[in-house]
Amino acid sequence: MHPKQSGRPATKQPSLSQLRAFAAVAEHLHFRDAAAAIGMSQPALSGAVSTLEEALGVQLIERTTRKVLLSPAGERLAGRTAVVLEAVAALMEEAEAARAPFTGVLRLGVIPTVAPYLLPTVLRLVQDRYPDLDLQVHEEQTSSLLEGLAAGRLDLLLLAVPLGVPGVSEIPLFDEDFVLVMEQDHWLGGRADIPREALRELPLLLLDEGHCLRDQALDICREAGRTEGAPVTTTAAGLSTLVQLVAGGLGVTLLPRTALTVETARNDALATGYFAHPAPTRRVALAMRAGSARGGEFEEFGAALRGAMKPLPVRVVDAPPV
């Protein structure tokens, strides 16, 4: 039985668990999926939503045999519920930040073209300097990471910038050059003065759509005067596959310097070439929510990372002004 919409003000305060249950149902419009998303049994979730309806005095969910729909009141209150839960999450973040820094959970998001090459340095730093920090790593593409940061699912990102996203602050770490990778007998192999213009006609292999490294490579090619009609083959979901395709003679590719040793050192079928100065580069940085309660902690973490990354084939940037 659904509560009567009497127009009287609610007399009971809803609990956070009830609000979380309703928010999950409003997002998924499916009780089983919603229950799985928040780690609650389906009967408990259904009961929490019903209890919330009783407390508020309005029907939030229209239950049918085939699907779940939000009632008009549910549509209105879903947004309010999200605001309340976000405020509670901010309160918990503030409380956590008020405790000793570098303790508790740090959910770090990393893009796939950075994770395999920089995580050893990051993990070693955390183990040596911040042993009480519970680092949880999530490897995702840039768009997914930014969504996770905005939603509070992630605390800090390690990725290529600039992002140009409102509400996100960047803590620059380093710049690194791109290197041209090709077959062993390629005419550009071993050169240290490759002009960018060489990219105009080369058969270029790139990552799939969605990878920021693909977009950066295309920007470099456009700057070099490559026309839209020049062939670009997109077949690889990761840099390892991309390099294997190069070794098989399907074309050339661009790799960031930090990825070069890992991806090419054990393959005798490959050659590398370096661009004439100034070489095409990318910048890697940390990104956090602007005004994050842990902003000072993340700035300190960035400074420590800059020091730890000096042995890598990168140019560590100066600390940003405070």
Side-chain angles (χ1 to χ4, degrees):
M1 180 178 296
H2 295 304
K4 295 180 180 179
Q5 311 218 9
S6 62
R8 297 194 308 270
T11 57
K12 297 180 181 179
Q13 290 291 330
S15 69
L16 287 177
S17 62
Q18 293 165 4
L19 293 176
R20 291 192 183 99
F22 170 55
V25 174
E27 177 182 356
H28 295 278
L29 296 178
H30 194 287
F31 276 96
R32 184 178 66 246
D33 293 346
I38 62 174
M40 181 182 286
S41 71
Q42 189 171 333
L45 178 130
S46 180
V49 173
S50 296
T51 304
L52 178 63
E53 290 177 318
E54 292 289 344
L56 297 178
V58 294
Q59 180 181 344
L60 301 172
I61 305 295
E62 295 181 4
R63 301 161 177 83
T64 70
T65 56
R66 294 192 175 184
K67 57 184 176 180
V68 175
L69 299 174
L70 293 181
S71 69
E75 292 279 2
R76 292 178 58 182
L77 294 181
R80 292 284 187 182
T81 299
V83 171
V84 171
L85 293 176
E86 288 172 6
V88 171
L91 173 68
M92 298 304 294
E93 181 182 357
E94 191 78 31
E96 185 173 353
R99 300 198 302 269
F102 301 106
T103 60
V105 176
L106 173 57
R107 298 164 297 180
L108 177 68
V110 192
I111 56 174
T113 57
V114 161
Y117 322 114
L118 297 186
L119 278 180
T121 300
V122 174
L123 296 176
R124 189 161 50 247
L125 173 69
V126 170
Q127 291 167 359
D128 292 345
R129 189 172 299 190
Y130 311 116
D132 295 326
L133 188 65
D134 180 10
L135 182 65
Q136 299 176 1
V137 178
H138 302 262
E139 184 186 50
E140 302 168 23
Q141 293 185 12
T142 299
S143 59
S144 177
L145 292 181
L146 289 172
E147 290 172 2
L149 186 69
R153 178 174 60 84
L154 300 172
D155 304 309
L156 190 64
L157 310 182
L158 179 59
L159 72 179
V161 296
L163 298 168
V165 177
V168 176
S169 297
E170 299 171 8
I171 306 172
L173 299 176
F174 63 82
D175 296 325
E176 64 175 326
D177 293 342
F178 282 99
V179 179
L180 194 64
V181 180
M182 64 214 86
E183 282 187 283
Q184 180 62 47
D185 58 353
H186 197 279
W187 64 281
L188 290 173
R191 287 183 55 176
D193 60 348
I194 300 173
R196 294 195 190 200
E197 291 74 20
L199 293 171
R200 291 177 179 174
E201 302 299 334
L202 291 173
L204 191 65
L205 298 170
L206 297 177
L207 292 173
D208 289 338
E209 295 280 357
H211 289 274
C212 63
L213 188 59
R214 171 193 172 90
D215 298 329
Q216 291 162 349
L218 288 174
D219 287 341
I220 292 167
C221 291
R222 279 190 287 268
E223 292 170 5
R226 187 184 182 96
T227 63
E228 293 295 333
V232 174
T233 303
T234 305
T235 54
L239 291 183
S240 296
T241 302
L242 201 63
V243 168
Q244 292 302 317
L245 295 174
V246 171
L250 297 187
V252 303
T253 197
L254 293 165
L255 287 186
R257 281 289 302 271
T258 50
L260 192 61
T261 299
V262 173
E263 299 298 349
T264 67
R266 291 180 292 181
N267 196 325
D268 295 335
L270 295 170
T272 57
Y274 298 86
F275 289 93
H277 183 77
T281 65
R282 74 169 179 176
R283 172 161 290 189
V284 173
L286 296 173
M288 63 180 176
R289 288 182 295 277
S292 170
R294 302 175 72 179
E297 180 182 342
F298 295 159
E299 293 278 2
E300 183 180 340
F301 186 58
L305 274 178
R306 281 191 288 272
M309 290 174 175
K310 287 182 178 178
L312 300 177
V314 300
R315 293 181 298 281
V316 174
V317 302
D318 294 332
V322 178

